[in-house]
Amino acid sequence: MISLPHFPEHLQKLGPHTGKPLDRVDGLAKVTGKALYAAEHHRPGLLYGVVVSSSVARARIRSFDTADALAEAGVVQVFTHQNRPKLASRSKKWRDQDTPKGSPFRPLEDDRVLFSGQPLALVVATSFEAARHAAALVRIEFDEIEQPETRLLERLGQGKAPGRAKGGFTPPPGPHGHPQQALKSAFARVNADYLVSAEHHNPMEPHAATVFYEEDGSLTVYSKTQGPVGEQAFLSAVLGLKKDRVRVLAPFVGGAFGSGLRPQYHLVLAAMAALELKRSVRVVLSRQQMFTFGHRPYTWQHVALGAERDGKLVSLVHEAVAETSKFESYVENVVTWSARLYPCPNYSLNHRVVPLDVYTPLDMRAPGAVTGLFAIESAMDELAHELGMDPLQLRLVNYGEKDGLTGHPYSSKELRACYQQAAGRFGWEQRWSEPRGRREGSKLVGWGMATGVWDAMQVPASARARLHLDGRLEVASATTDIGTGTYTVMTQIAADVMGLSLESVEFKLGDTSLPEAPLQGGSFTVASVGSAIKAACDGLRDQLFKLAQKMPNSPFYARSQAEVEFRDGRLGLPGHPEAALSYAQILRQQGVSVLEEEVKVLPNLLKQRGYSLATHSAVFAEVQVDEELGTIEVTRMVTAVAAGRILNPKTSRNQLLGGMVWGISSALHEKSELDLELGRFINHNLAEYHIPVQADIRHLEVVFVEEQDEIVNPLGIKGLGEIGVIGVAAAIANAVFHATGRRVRHLPIRLDDLL
Amino acid sequence: MDDASSSFEITINGTKRHFNVEPWVTLLDLLRERAGLTGTKKGCDHGQCGACTVLVDGQRVNSCLMLAVMQDGKEVTTIEGLAAGNELHPLQRGFIQHDAFQCGYCTPGQICSALGLIREGKADSVDSIREFMSGNLCRCGAYSNIVAAIEQARGQL
Ligand code: FES
Ligand code: FES
């Protein structure tokens, strides 16, 4: 039996398929090895490119010696900044859909080295082995090697306000009320600093691009990306090609978690080499090189909370200082969540960035929220302990009926139900208040909880629906499925709106020849692309109905569309089975071979205006800490999520389980270790960069909380990609405190913190 | 480099195939780049992730750590060789039914590893599955569902 979470089915349905725990439609391809990822498309004569990475972080290149590399059998060319073909020279042309303020990195631009691991050359050969070997033979001499600036904690005072620097970033507002004064006179106070480590996305599939050079000189690019449309625009701008000369495809993506939001350097190098050599080229990054582009930024935070005797917050201070690169000013929403979640009369929020000699950070699953919620939800736990209050009770005392920053009501917010249901499943009422209060053998047991919050967003997206004479429906949009279930839920939506079986619907994605879709990120894909698909299918229904009305002796002639039903591939009148006509019949009789509808759907800003749109969660965790060894195990965890309509509880549950594993990972495992002298991430492999393995994961439970929302978007969907991970690290850190009495204010928490 | 090539035969998924490659070509790269079998994945190339797991003479191995030339005369089973025609292997069915993957990139390695695990007799308890499947990373975090899929399939073999 497949265990499914409790699920209010009646609320979730558009038709027979949505709301059902259906298997993934792309499952067969994935379990048989037939799903082809970016590095797996092949053509005869394909060349292999291997990147040569810089061993220093800050220098100038004096010279290259490529003679030995070029002398190797099979080597076709070694590209460096000295011999590369022309690429766009204006910084503006290098902007992509997720570019922060600044000047984007350009591979092989000139002799300057800006970060350790920077690509300095591309070796192209007839086999992967020859390219890899020759890459080791390229010798590079440097001048002016300088000590990289890497020490964030020594530069906290030099942080700069980033301004409105990046899409999706809301600069924190100025102070409200008198936070410092209120803090001084508060009954209870917490004043603490928190640190969140740098992390790298590390999807299992290394970043790769296979660029086919077509006979007419155009490029067909198989890419690992979360946004084919953006990559097409980027590549055409950088290479100086017309857009229709570049087609980008990403039918399968082996995970991304944000790493595919921006086109990475291997893509430029592969496309550049293909154009120059007039040959097809594949470039795959090694796992080590997966640590040479964006990462979750190392971030310092300060939180001060002041509360009355009853727990009511009177002062809230949340500041963050995060690293960025010297060439771009990366920002994410870290501090605003606190004030949104916990309305408080006096607050002060601040976010600053410090440029260091590292690559620009990059949105990584739940960017900002993972970081900010760790701090505020740890601080709330500390405050509860100060007050001698149950941590859940403290959350309820400060529950925000409205968004604490904007004062707007929520389009829907079932966070209270999340707390109740997760606490119930977990057995929270059995909690003992004193830390170190329970032991099992040599292990201390502790319980902790935390809150999660993320924006519910919808962005413009297009989709096309085509109904064929044989009754088949083809739906398409240039979005991606990075493991999120896009293929499946879009098929479900289309089947239900059109009244068709799943088998008669085919959804196509990941191809710039299809209607434009936004980047897949921010948990907004289903809300955005799903709304477009629904609208395209609604348009088809209109067309079908009109066609049916025009038929001779049409039973629908004097009817309105509201009276008819679209079911089992037929247009019918309830109560008149004899009147039903199959879609194919209607098309055939009217001499139409394909019925097509393409639409672009924008969020209904008018409807959304004046509301705050957010997804919420409540996380409860149990840990066991071995007192002698310091080892920490998360023995069970329950997450309850309010995310609007759930289209497929099976894929949705999986998304949330994955988020919980990510939370355990950031709490206890993951950390990119920057060597402060070298400016290099030194644990750049999967043996030393720890992520949870099978044995680290125990009992995880997901609860979907009923939440109806007619404002957020026509489907009532809020998205699930990020919410599962947010708050998890705080819940675990709080459980570790409850088990051991030790408050650890940095991530990850490792055994040496508890010895 | 051509001089260095050696010639050998491997039976892959029941079919004997002849190769002539340099001795430094790994089994993984041979499968992916020369045999047209991209179902076996490369996640690290260093024996650290398990994405490249295949069965050699019935035993699960990380194919990125094996040189192709050393498999001369051996039998290699990859994900492409598990189904019998249109009839999926019970593990493949279990993985679909329990949604034991998201992006699917670790999946072929997980399934081959699970097959090896069952043959080793180590799939008899949840704890044992967790312990002995720990060489196969899943960044998407589908671990709980992978255990459920293996538990289901183990009784059907
Ligand atoms: S690719 Fe072989 S273990 Fe990772
Ligand atoms: S399914 Fe994506 S890595 Fe396992």
Side-chain angles (χ1 to χ4, degrees):
Chain A
M1 248 316 276
I2 296 162
S3 69
L4 284 168
H6 165 72
F7 186 70
E9 209 174 318
H10 63 286
L11 280 182
Q12 313 290 347
K13 291 193 158 199
L14 291 175
H17 302 105
T18 44
K20 282 241 178 82
L22 299 175
D23 294 344
R24 276 169 210 260
V25 299
D26 53 338
L28 184 66
K30 284 177 174 172
V31 301
T32 52
K34 294 205 178 97
L36 294 184
Y37 298 80
E40 297 171 352
H41 298 266
H42 199 85
R43 280 193 196 169
L46 179 76
L47 298 176
Y48 295 79
V50 168
V51 174
V52 180
S53 307
S54 176
S55 56
V56 296
R58 218 172 127 163
R60 286 193 174 253
I61 299 166
R62 186 194 316 150
S63 62
F64 288 98
D65 180 352
T66 57
D68 286 354
L70 285 166
E72 274 300 309
V75 173
V76 176
Q77 181 58 292
V78 179
F79 290 101
T80 69
H81 75 269
Q82 293 166 341
N83 70 346
R84 68 159 166 86
K86 192 169 151 21
L87 298 169
S89 55
R90 305 222 327 267
S91 171
K92 208 176 83 188
K93 300 252 182 195
W94 289 80
R95 294 184 65 81
D96 56 68
Q97 292 177 306
D98 194 30
T99 307
K101 193 170 82 186
S103 173
F105 172 67
R106 310 180 212 178
L108 311 192
E109 168 68 8
D110 55 24
D111 64 346
R112 274 173 302 181
V113 179
L114 305 174
F115 59 94
S116 178
Q118 178 175 325
L120 299 184
L122 180 77
V123 178
V124 183
T126 50
S127 76
F128 166 64
E129 290 79 13
R132 180 181 56 187
H133 178 56
L137 300 177
V138 173
R139 278 182 297 277
I140 307 173
E141 302 283 344
F142 297 100
D143 278 331
E144 301 171 32
I145 299 182
E146 284 178 64
Q147 180 80 30
E149 289 174 6
T150 54
R151 293 167 208 265
L152 175 72
L153 297 185
E154 288 175 12
R155 289 166 193 269
L156 292 178
Q158 298 164 28
K160 292 182 299 198
R164 192 177 290 278
K166 185 167 162 290
F169 177 67
T170 318
H176 196 264
H178 305 280
Q180 290 308 331
Q181 237 169 291
L183 199 58
K184 274 198 205 101
S185 56
F187 172 78
R189 275 181 293 271
V190 168
N191 225 316
D193 295 349
Y194 300 89
L195 272 175
V196 173
S197 294
E199 297 173 343
H200 281 83
H201 307 69
N202 277 307
M204 285 311 299
E205 179 201 18
H207 275 244
T210 301
V211 180
F212 292 135
Y213 185 83
E214 306 290 355
E215 264 172 30
D216 63 359
S218 68
L219 302 180
T220 303
V221 183
Y222 283 90
S223 179
K224 180 183 178 71
T225 177
Q226 290 170 258
V229 175
E231 284 206 343
Q232 179 193 38
F234 171 83
L235 270 184
S236 65
V238 163
L239 301 170
L241 294 175
K242 285 223 177 72
K243 243 192 182 173
D244 60 6
R245 309 287 286 166
V246 183
R247 179 177 174 196
V248 178
L249 297 104
F252 289 97
V253 179
F257 316 107
S259 65
L261 290 173
R262 302 190 67 183
Q264 305 301 349
Y265 60 77
H266 67 283
L267 174 75
V268 177
L269 296 178
M272 172 200 85
L275 268 187
E276 180 68 9
L277 300 171
K278 300 189 169 23
R279 305 270 301 269
S280 297
V281 178
R282 168 181 301 155
V283 177
V284 183
L285 295 186
S286 68
R287 182 53 62 183
Q288 284 65 23
Q289 289 167 336
M290 291 294 288
F291 290 77
T292 60
F293 57 93
H295 55 277
R296 194 189 295 286
Y298 184 38
T299 305
W300 172 91
Q301 294 173 80
H302 174 71
V303 177
L305 299 176
E308 309 276 25
R309 190 185 294 265
D310 64 356
K312 198 99 187 113
L313 286 175
V314 290
S315 179
L316 187 164
V317 177
H318 193 168
E319 297 169 2
V321 184
E323 61 172 347
T324 185
S325 68
K326 293 267 177 74
F327 44 95
E328 285 173 313
S329 192
Y330 173 83
V331 272
E332 51 189 22
N333 294 315
V334 174
V335 297
T336 38
W337 305 106
S338 321
R340 288 182 66 185
L341 203 51
Y342 301 117
C344 182
N346 306 289
Y347 62 77
S348 146
L349 307 169
N350 204 335
H351 185 104
R352 283 164 291 154
V353 295
V354 174
L356 298 176
D357 290 310
V358 294
Y359 196 84
T360 311
L362 174 62
D363 291 328
M364 179 164 164
R365 200 170 194 178
V370 155
T371 306
L373 270 286
F374 166 64
I376 184 65
E377 287 298 281
S378 292
M380 286 294 276
D381 198 70
E382 299 198 38
L383 182 62
H385 186 69
E386 272 310 295
L387 288 160
M389 225 174 145
D390 181 286
L392 173 55
Q393 187 55 30
L394 181 66
R395 268 55 170 210
L396 293 174
V397 166
N398 288 288
Y399 193 83
E401 299 296 346
K402 292 186 174 167
D403 184 317
L405 261 195
T406 60
H408 291 153
Y410 288 94
S411 63
S412 61
K413 178 179 176 179
E414 295 296 343
L415 175 59
R416 195 175 271 118
C418 291
Y419 287 136
Q420 276 157 3
Q421 292 183 27
R425 294 291 308 170
F426 188 83
W428 184 255
E429 77 282 354
Q430 311 281 339
R431 184 179 180 269
W432 58 102
S433 59
E434 271 314 292
R436 303 181 69 85
R438 188 186 285 182
R439 235 170 241 281
E440 273 178 31
S442 64
K443 294 185 177 155
L444 293 163
V445 182
W447 290 2
M449 58 83 56
T451 315
V453 55
W454 184 251
D455 287 313
M457 292 178 272
Q458 186 194 350
V459 296
S462 308
R464 181 180 68 211
R466 274 187 190 149
L467 187 63
H468 294 271
L469 252 187
D470 56 7
R472 256 182 332 112
L473 178 71
E474 206 185 285
V475 201
S477 179
T479 181
T480 51
D481 187 333
I482 54 176
T484 42
T486 320
Y487 272 117
T488 309
V489 295
M490 298 304 162
T491 306
Q492 289 176 272
I493 293 173
D496 272 4
V497 177
M498 287 307 293
L500 288 167
S501 67
L502 277 190
E503 294 68 42
S504 44
V505 178
E506 188 192 3
F507 176 59
K508 290 190 178 158
L509 54 64
D511 181 346
T512 50
S513 70
L514 306 175
E516 275 197 24
L519 281 172
Q520 183 174 25
S523 295
F524 52 62
T525 298
V526 183
S528 309
V529 178
S531 296
I533 284 176
K534 178 172 186 303
C537 292
D538 282 341
L540 272 191
R541 286 165 60 123
D542 294 347
Q543 289 193 41
L544 260 180
F545 178 66
K546 283 190 192 123
L547 276 184
Q549 278 189 315
K550 281 193 220 143
M551 288 169 62
N553 304 322
S554 171
F556 305 102
Y557 177 68
R559 304 288 183 158
S560 78
Q561 202 177 323
E563 293 172 85
V564 303
E565 60 179 6
F566 295 78
R567 235 175 114 170
D568 303 330
R570 296 151 77 87
L571 188 63
L573 286 169
H576 299 273
E578 74 293 345
L581 289 170
S582 78
Y583 303 158
Q585 258 175 310
I586 301 172
L587 295 194
R588 211 170 300 120
Q589 288 223 12
Q590 292 300 92
V592 180
S593 60
V594 195
L595 214 53
E596 176 172 319
E597 183 82 20
E598 182 169 335
V599 290
K600 178 170 188 172
V601 171
L602 311 174
N604 187 341
L605 297 178
L606 218 59
K607 197 165 176 184
Q608 295 173 352
R609 194 160 63 198
Y611 289 98
S612 193
L613 315 170
T615 314
H616 291 91
S617 69
V619 193
F620 291 76
E622 176 183 274
V623 300
Q624 293 193 3
V625 179
D626 188 302
E627 233 197 328
E628 266 142 45
L629 301 174
T631 48
I632 310 162
E633 291 165 287
V634 179
T635 41
R636 62 194 183 95
M637 187 150 73
V638 180
T639 281
V641 172
R645 186 202 295 269
I646 303 299
L647 289 173
N648 184 330
K650 192 184 261 194
T651 55
S652 297
R653 171 174 173 269
N654 198 347
Q655 272 280 95
L656 293 167
L657 290 174
M660 292 162 90
V661 171
W662 268 61
I664 293 172
S665 192
S666 69
L668 303 178
H669 299 268
E670 251 178 89
K671 179 180 190 181
S672 299
E673 302 270 4
L674 188 68
D675 182 303
L676 297 176
E677 296 294 318
L678 298 172
R680 184 184 314 157
F681 291 106
I682 44 170
N683 57 340
H684 55 180
N685 60 72
L686 293 176
E688 293 167 280
Y689 184 86
H690 291 180
I691 61 169
V693 300
Q694 181 63 263
D696 292 314
I697 302 305
R698 304 295 175 81
H699 181 79
L700 304 180
E701 192 175 327
V702 172
V703 179
F704 290 113
V705 168
E706 253 177 71
E707 189 175 64
Q708 253 182 316
D709 196 322
E710 279 159 16
I711 293 159
V712 66
N713 54 58
L715 291 165
I717 286 167
K718 289 184 170 178
L720 292 165
E722 338 284 319
I723 191 67
V725 55
I726 301 166
V728 174
I732 293 171
N734 297 341
V736 166
F737 171 75
H738 190 228
T740 64
R742 294 241 203 151
R743 178 65 65 181
V744 182
R745 299 191 179 90
H746 59 248
L747 297 180
I749 303 169
R750 296 219 171 128
L751 52 85
D752 43 328
D753 294 314
L754 301 179
L755 288 178
Chain B
M1 273 202 326
D2 286 342
D3 316 338
S5 295
S6 30
S7 117
F8 53 92
E9 274 178 353
I10 310 180
T11 302
I12 305 178
N13 300 329
T15 308
K16 195 172 265 186
R17 297 186 58 172
H18 184 89
F19 297 97
N20 190 34
V21 302
E22 300 86 0
W24 47 79
V25 174
T26 64
L27 175 58
L28 173 60
D29 289 325
L30 179 100
L31 291 170
R32 286 173 64 81
E33 305 296 341
R34 324 241 176 172
L37 294 169
T38 54
T40 307
K41 305 303 180 194
K42 184 187 281 191
C44 70
D45 222 4
H46 282 60
Q48 298 168 344
C49 76
C52 63
T53 307
V54 298
L55 296 141
V56 174
D57 288 344
Q59 289 224 315
R60 49 180 176 156
V61 300
N62 287 337
S63 62
C64 69
L65 294 182
M66 318 285 282
L67 293 171
V69 62
M70 294 175 73
Q71 314 313 312
D72 190 11
K74 298 195 175 161
E75 297 217 10
V76 173
T77 306
T78 70
I79 190 74
E80 290 93 342
L82 290 192
N86 284 334
E87 181 72 16
L88 290 183
H89 188 277
L91 275 164
Q92 293 173 312
R93 276 204 307 274
F95 268 64
I96 292 178
Q97 286 166 6
H98 289 273
D99 207 27
F101 49 85
Q102 292 173 29
C103 76
Y105 198 78
C106 73
T107 311
Q110 301 278 3
I111 291 177
C112 288
S113 190
L115 185 54
L117 175 95
I118 293 169
R119 287 192 184 150
E120 291 156 24
K122 288 185 178 146
D124 50 345
S125 72
V126 168
D127 280 349
S128 179
I129 294 172
R130 281 180 180 149
E131 183 65 26
F132 295 104
M133 283 299 288
S134 283
N136 290 83
L137 300 181
C138 176
R139 182 56 155 165
C140 295
Y143 291 126
S144 318
N145 292 352
I146 292 171
V147 173
I150 297 174
E151 279 201 284
Q152 173 182 307
R154 113 192 123 191
Q156 299 171 3
L157 285 180

